[in-house]
Amino acid sequence: MGEMEGSYRAIQTPGTRLGAQFNAGISTLEPGQSLSDALGPVGRSPGRGLQLRVQGLDDSQEFYDLESRADGQTLLSDVFRRSNLMESDYFGLEFQNMQMSWVWLEPTKLVVKQVKRPMNTLFRLSVKFFPPDPGQLQEEYTRYLFSLQMKRDLLEGRLSCTENTASLLASHLLQSEIGDYDDMADRDFLKLNKLLPNQERIQERIMELHYRHLGQTPADSDFQVLEIARKLEMYGVRFHPAADREGTKINLAVAHIGLQVFQGNTKINTFNWSKIRKLSFKRKRFLIKLYPEVHGPHQDTLEFQMVSRDQCKIFWKNCVEHHSFFRLLDQPQPKSKAILFSRGSSFRYSGRTQKQLVEYVKDSGARRTPYQRRNSKVRMSARSLAPDVPKQVIWLVFVALSPLPGSSMDSPQLSPFNSKSSPLCLSPSFQMSTLSLPGAGQAPSPLQSPILSEVGTNRLEEEEEGRRKRYPTDKAYFIAKEILTTERTYLKDLEVITVWFRSAVIKENAMPEGLMTLLFSNIDPIYEFHRGFLKEIDQRLALWSGRSNAHVKGDYQRIGDVMLRNMCALKEFTNYLQKHDEVLTELEKATKRLKKLETVYKEFELQKVCYLPLNTFLLKPIQRLMHYKLILERLCKHYSPDHPDHNNCREALKEVAEMTNQLQSSLIRLENFQKLSELQRDLIGIENLTAPGREFIREGCLYKLTKKGLQQRMFFLFSDQLLYTSKGVTATNQFKVHGQLPLHGMIVEESENEWSVPHCFTIYSAQRTIVVAASSKVEMGKWIEDLNMAIEMTKKSQEKSDLFLDPGLWSSDEVSLDQESEDDMSSSRNSLDKQTHHRANSTMHVCWHRNTSVSMSDHSLAVENQLSGYLLRKFKNSNGWQKLWVVFTNFCLFFYKTHQDDFPLASLPLLGYTVSSPGESDSIHKEYVFKLHFKSHVYFFRAESEYTFERWMEVIKSAASATGRMSLLIPKGPLQMNGN
């Protein structure tokens, strides 16, 4: 048993070599075995060795001579040694048992105890443990073997995927095997070698995609295969048939993250290792015991019925090994045997864990000799190419060199600008990102007006004038250019996570391996996709703007085809985007649990490159879809129905609208969770702010009436309670919570006449009554409206509210705010003069300084209105204009010298500013100029076209305050205001 079909034809027995007559029957005797030998114990004569046949991942077969009582580890060691395989623990040997199921050879048991006829059985070298991130594979040779495993799984139908994805995988495998595209060579190879079950039908598509990989090295091809494969739901999945308690047929599988349940090829459930308390089996029943909080105390055990006890035990062993390999830090110790009798299995995983394996390869310093691929003439070794480069940088370089799957601009030969470029050439921006890694101790950008050098501004202005005359004036071009400029900023934002934050956690070894995998396996593929997408947009806009003669034909005066192609490709990443909820949650939990990670997290947020709260960067991929939708809507509105680009833009809009509709509710939930998490770090004196069901509604500055007068306070309104805080009582400039008022039973009334204070209203709660004043009538109206809305929602969902609130939070140790001391306020005022440790341009701090407020709906609108691009800037009393790269996000303008800079030089929060066109007294005689004004601060900005001018005006108005909001608060009575 256990033979592969047709495998006997490859083996010559002594009889055939001597010319014996051919016998069409198949003997059950092993090669060289007599009938009398077969009748002996386990089918062999005493003292005789074993000759075992092993098939490699490249389908070549080799024989290994072992002692008759050799264990599985002996054979494994021989195979790994002959293969010169360093990262061997990812692999194993499998064979078919009597039931024709593939099972793993156990290292600790004798071969003859596991295999009925070992000398007549084919053993296959296969990948046993599939890491979620190919970047964890440090050897090029290991990645090559993994790509061969993907090739085998494709052919055997295990790695099910769409035809387009299968064609793309096959094209990369083709590039890896035979090199650059050649029509005749491709056809000959595909005729002799089968890569896909339906290969003949899609052969032309495979060859078309292969053409795009010109110049791609075999190592790059292997990496691309793994990058594409790991995104598939069936990556590394090995089905074990079972049935649930209702008798429904399902398939069980085990992966790095835990146990998975499939119905057909669709995953219907995943049980993370962290949720599983115990795995066991009783005869044919496979049992999963969960921690009570996962499914409640009455559903803590799940039961599945498998085909047989043997199949149940095989799957149980597989689960034990996966858990040990991916979750444990050190190799588990073997279970000691009971003296009298044993209870349960003594099976344990016997190899190195993934952590031990990674450390071993890092510390060994071994230099691999170049290996020969089976068909390719190329000999490559990552170690020999870059022995002195740190492993994480090697991985980043591999990412940088990898072309984008499915992009029509993958190949350097397809670009008119880099036809002679080498795939080893990194862009300057990427070199800066990977080699100039961030250092600790960089201070955040302070709350400041941008003060940048104006040297050379007259020359820049002249260059800008010349550029305006050369560039097209079609509005569609500037709409398309907005895609390009915002994509540049978006890619930089992704690098904050994929490059800079990764470097910080690796340097300090601060993040658990499982969380590293979850975080970066979700965002790395998205980052790679957008690198290729940006390159494609950049090249199209370069042709459109006339920097080459290709635009004469008019073929490049469009963007719809590029958008349609990439929006279709982006749909494959929906699963990754849906996991962002889990990523954000797990990261938040880990920072609370692990002090080291919390420290690294907070220190990283203080670096200049992290110009926004860190977790906001994790929301960017979903928010980016909203931007594509809005920009495509503008394009479709601009084009007439008979325009050549209209249909493609319309189809691209449909594709992205489908994704945004699917992810809209997830985005709302994530934005709320992100805001709550940010506030949790900024507020002192409250725990569990991210409680399930709680929603953030508004934050802002109000003046609270006390016996000492009107005192400035920062208020935070949630769906279940109202918090008020003071600022500056800590060295880190965080806000300290002084009061928490439940919304249940709360009443809000205007009370200007009663207290003789403008814009004043009273809040009656079950615990206390407070009087507050807003900075304007508009502000007061917004607070009262949101408070009444939240109170009404609380009435309608009283049961839910009871779950969220603990009366002890506000009834036990609350400070009597009517008796607040002057010490608190003086401490607050003095601390404002110190250098803050917190980012000063966050909405919380800006609201405090500008006496204003921001709601969750304002935050959501700001997400839609992000913008980037070059602007000319002029101060009120200066003469020249200075060209700057400007990014608008989170109610703030960030200023850079160029779009390639890694961090902003200055920032300008816009809350409270007014935006308008310059007046005659400003003496600005230029087109497309807008004016920003707040108190004595005045700035002028000049855009390149009417469209971009209107867009900047639009987004800045969305962030600037409404008219009258900033009017000063002047008390009518004897009480004086003590706030700033």
Side-chain angles (χ1 to χ4, degrees), residues 711-723:
Q711 297 185 343
Q712 189 177 8
R713 292 287 179 265
M714 192 70 185
F715 280 73
F716 300 90
L717 175 61
F718 304 97
S719 58
D720 58 343
Q721 62 179 306
L722 176 69
L723 304 183

Side-chain angles (χ1 to χ4, degrees), residues 775-944:
S775 58
S776 70
K777 193 168 186 66
V778 172
E779 277 291 287
M780 181 182 72
K782 290 181 177 181
W783 275 108
I784 293 177
E785 181 183 355
D786 282 353
L787 278 164
N788 285 329
M789 176 200 69
I791 293 167
E792 192 63 32
M793 287 171 57
T794 307
K795 289 179 183 177
K796 294 179 180 178
S797 57
Q798 180 55 47
E799 292 181 5
K800 187 182 294 186
S801 178
D802 290 341
L803 292 174
F804 300 153
L805 299 176
D806 176 4
L809 287 177
W810 59 80
S811 61
S812 57
D813 298 324
E814 184 183 1
V815 179
S816 175
L817 297 186
D818 291 337
Q819 303 295 327
E820 283 181 315
S821 67
E822 284 290 342
D823 293 339
D824 281 344
M825 290 313 300
S826 62
S827 171
S828 175
R829 288 195 299 271
N830 292 338
S831 68
L832 291 178
D833 299 328
K834 301 175 184 177
Q835 176 63 44
T836 64
H837 294 281
H838 249 51
R839 180 177 296 101
N841 57 28
S842 68
T843 53
M844 179 189 301
H845 290 81
V846 176
C847 285
W848 176 269
H849 284 283
R850 305 269 172 89
N851 296 339
T852 187
S853 68
V854 172
S855 70
M856 192 65 214
S857 59
D858 294 329
H859 279 282
S860 299
L861 183 62
V863 165
E864 295 180 0
N865 285 319
Q866 297 185 23
L867 195 59
S868 307
Y870 281 104
L871 289 174
L872 295 177
R873 188 203 58 186
K874 177 184 174 302
F875 293 115
K876 181 179 181 180
N877 298 319
S878 64
N879 296 321
W881 293 82
Q882 183 183 12
K883 185 177 181 182
L884 295 170
W885 176 258
V886 184
V887 173
F888 169 74
T889 184
N890 288 41
F891 310 98
C892 193
L893 293 179
F894 295 92
F895 299 94
Y896 304 74
K897 280 287 188 183
T898 73
H899 71 266
Q900 295 179 332
D901 291 353
D902 288 315
F903 54 83
L905 301 174
S907 62
L908 179 65
L910 293 178
L911 291 174
Y913 268 80
T914 56
V915 58
S916 62
S917 297
E920 287 191 17
S921 60
D922 295 315
S923 300
I924 302 293
H925 306 293
K926 301 286 185 183
E927 289 183 309
Y928 316 134
V929 176
F930 58 90
K931 175 183 177 181
L932 278 177
H933 177 250
F934 173 68
K935 295 185 177 178
S936 61
H937 303 287
V938 177
Y939 308 101
F940 300 99
F941 293 91
R942 186 176 170 206
E944 65 177 343

Side-chain angles (χ1 to χ4, degrees), residues 250-460:
I250 58 168
N251 288 303
L252 298 178
V254 61
H256 72 283
I257 196 172
L259 269 64
Q260 300 173 329
V261 183
F262 288 80
Q263 199 160 35
N265 284 340
T266 304
K267 184 162 61 177
I268 59 174
N269 211 340
T270 298
F271 300 101
N272 198 297
W273 293 123
S274 61
K275 300 176 183 177
I276 297 174
R277 183 165 58 90
K278 184 180 180 181
L279 294 175
S280 60
F281 68 96
K282 294 180 180 178
R283 298 182 177 87
K284 296 193 296 184
R285 291 182 300 141
F286 186 80
L287 305 173
I288 305 175
K289 293 188 177 181
L290 304 170
Y291 286 104
E293 60 267 22
V294 177
H295 280 280
H298 306 294
Q299 291 182 310
D300 63 340
T301 303
L302 302 175
E303 182 179 313
F304 299 95
Q305 195 85 2
M306 303 195 76
V307 178
S308 65
R309 180 189 180 278
D310 287 345
Q311 292 297 316
C312 206
K313 187 173 184 179
I314 287 169
F315 182 58
W316 175 79
K317 287 182 176 180
N318 211 349
C319 293
V320 170
E321 291 185 311
H322 272 75
H323 177 268
S324 300
F325 182 76
F326 287 109
R327 294 281 289 184
L328 299 187
L329 301 179
D330 300 311
Q331 183 176 342
Q333 297 298 317
K335 186 178 180 181
S336 57
K337 293 187 177 180
I339 299 175
L340 298 176
F341 60 88
S342 64
R343 181 182 179 186
S345 173
S346 62
F347 176 79
R348 293 290 184 274
Y349 172 63
S350 59
R352 288 173 293 201
T353 65
Q354 187 185 33
K355 183 177 185 297
Q356 289 176 316
L357 178 59
V358 170
E359 290 175 351
Y360 163 73
V361 178
K362 283 182 180 179
D363 298 339
S364 64
R367 297 173 73 90
R368 173 174 308 288
T369 55
Y371 61 90
Q372 181 70 55
R373 293 171 183 262
R374 187 163 62 92
N375 292 309
S376 175
K377 305 271 189 208
V378 183
R379 300 167 74 95
M380 291 289 289
S381 171
R383 284 189 182 277
S384 60
L385 283 175
D388 301 322
V389 181
K391 297 295 186 302
Q392 63 266 30
V393 177
I394 288 178
W395 185 88
L396 289 168
V397 171
F398 269 116
V399 172
L401 303 184
S402 304
L404 172 72
S407 168
S408 65
M409 308 301 280
D410 281 353
S411 165
Q413 283 78 352
L414 294 180
S415 167
F417 307 111
N418 58 355
S419 59
K420 297 181 181 180
S421 65
S422 163
L424 292 175
C425 293
L426 301 181
S427 68
S429 60
F430 189 81
Q431 289 171 341
M432 184 182 301
S433 300
T434 54
L435 301 180
S436 304
L437 295 175
Q442 290 174 308
S445 201
L447 181 66
Q448 60 177 341
S449 300
I451 303 174
L452 300 171
S453 170
E454 294 187 41
V455 177
T457 50
N458 291 330
R459 180 175 54 82
L460 286 173

Side-chain angles (χ1 to χ4, degrees), residues 701-705 710-712 771-773 851 969 977 979-980:
C701 178
L702 294 171
Y703 291 89
K704 180 177 176 294
L705 191 61
L710 286 168
Q711 297 185 343
Q712 189 177 8
V771 178
V772 295
N851 296 339
L969 182 62
M977 182 175 66
N980 291 337

Side-chain angles (χ1 to χ4, degrees), residues 456-470:
T457 50
N458 291 330
R459 180 175 54 82
L460 286 173
E461 185 179 353
E462 291 172 4
E463 291 177 357
E464 190 71 13
E465 286 293 347
R467 186 190 56 75
R468 288 171 192 273
K469 294 175 182 177
R470 293 196 307 269

Side-chain angles (χ1 to χ4, degrees), residues 610-621:
C610 188
Y611 67 101
L612 300 172
L614 179 58
N615 54 12
T616 60
F617 293 102
L618 293 171
L619 304 186
K620 295 290 184 180

